[in-house]
Amino acid sequence: MMKTWKRTFFLFLCTLALLALTACAGKCKMSGCDDKVYKDGLCEFHYGLQVAGDAVKGIFGGLFG
């Protein structure tokens, strides 16, 4: 009986933790941006800027690094 209670309580705590984590995951993590998350916690616009910046760094790093 005690094991069942502990297992139920553990599952309940895990469920609460997952709900808390997903409750804040709907908006872009950039300051001042309330757009919906596209990838990696960023909206489409900010994700595109990050990818473009990484590409530029890769090109210049390959040429001058």
Side-chain angles (χ1 to χ4, degrees), residues 7 27 46 59 61:
R7 186 179 307 146
K27 294 182 181 178
H46 288 115
I59 290 170

Side-chain angles (χ1 to χ4, degrees), residues 28 30 33 35-39 42-53:
C28 181
M30 296 301 285
C33 182
D35 290 346
K36 189 174 123 182
V37 171
Y38 175 68
K39 279 188 180 178
L42 300 170
C43 65
E44 278 188 81
F45 177 75
H46 288 115
Y47 181 76
L49 286 178
Q50 181 181 9
V51 169

Side-chain angles (χ1 to χ4, degrees), residues 47-64:
Y47 181 76
L49 286 178
Q50 181 181 9
V51 169
D54 291 344
V56 169
K57 286 178 189 175
I59 290 170
F60 283 111
L63 293 175
F64 301 111

Side-chain angles (χ1 to χ4, degrees), residues 1 24 34 42 44:
M1 181 71 176
C24 300
D34 292 330
L42 300 170
E44 278 188 81

